[in-house]
Amino acid sequence: MNQNVLFFIKHKSEVKYLSADMTVYQALNEMKEYKYTAVPVINYDGSYLGTITEGDFLWYIMNDGSFHTKIKHVVRKDFCKPVNVNTDINELFSQSLNQNFVPIIDDRYIFIGIVTRKKILEQLISERT
């Protein structure tokens, strides 16, 4: 396979993501609308902050109870680690084994999109046929 990360990317304009300055309440409403269980979180400057999950919200609410807190204080930065757009394709594949999507960033840590595990599997299957 001779592709790079960009071959697989779903551009930011096609991806649902949350703003770091949204409240827990606003973010939960967005996730309900999207029907996603995990969503990337982007800072005001477009940089990738992390990915937040339904479970993150559940544990936060159980421990704190505030729906008015900004989600930048809730998001786990160690979950769903991003890869650089210039990352080796094998590293991308390896990262996708541990999560449903891999956030893609540029050299400035700006979020540019995601690569889904589904897209990778579809490509691998099509190459075998």
Side-chain angles (χ1 to χ4, degrees):
M1 179 175 312
N2 216 6
Q3 289 109 358
N4 65 26
V5 171
L6 290 174
F7 179 80
F8 296 94
I9 198 165
K10 185 173 190 178
H11 189 269
K12 176 182 176 180
S13 64
E14 304 172 79
V15 174
K16 302 296 184 200
Y17 58 88
L18 301 174
S19 167
D21 288 325
M22 294 175 94
T23 65
V24 168
Y25 182 80
Q26 291 168 323
L28 283 169
N29 278 325
E30 292 284 318
M31 287 186 72
K32 179 181 174 186
E33 181 180 330
Y34 299 156
K35 296 181 173 66
Y36 289 146
T37 59
V39 180
V41 178
I42 311 303
N43 270 325
Y44 67 92
D45 63 356
S47 61
Y48 177 74
L49 181 62
T51 293
I52 199 160
T53 69
E54 291 174 326
D56 295 330
F57 286 119
L58 174 65
W59 288 112
Y60 176 76
I61 292 167
M62 286 183 64
N63 291 325
D64 182 84
S66 175
F67 285 96
H68 303 293
T69 300
K70 304 287 184 187
I71 63 172
K72 64 183 168 191
H73 302 295
V74 179
V75 68
R76 288 184 296 149
K77 294 174 176 75
D78 62 339
F79 175 71
C80 215
K81 292 188 178 183
V83 299
N84 186 281
V85 69
N86 298 312
T87 297
D88 177 74
I89 200 75
N90 291 321
E91 174 63 28
L92 173 70
F93 288 1
S94 177
Q95 187 90 1
S96 75
L97 295 174
N98 301 317
Q99 51 205 52
N100 288 330
F101 65 87
V102 179
I104 308 299
I105 57 171
D106 67 11
D107 292 334
R108 299 171 296 145
Y109 223 76
I110 300 297
F111 177 73
I112 60 172
I114 64 171
V115 173
T116 63
R117 186 184 314 158
K118 179 180 178 183
K119 177 70 173 175
I120 292 169
L121 290 172
E122 287 172 346
Q123 179 62 30
L124 293 173
I125 290 168
S126 73
E127 288 180 5
R128 296 192 76 198
T129 57

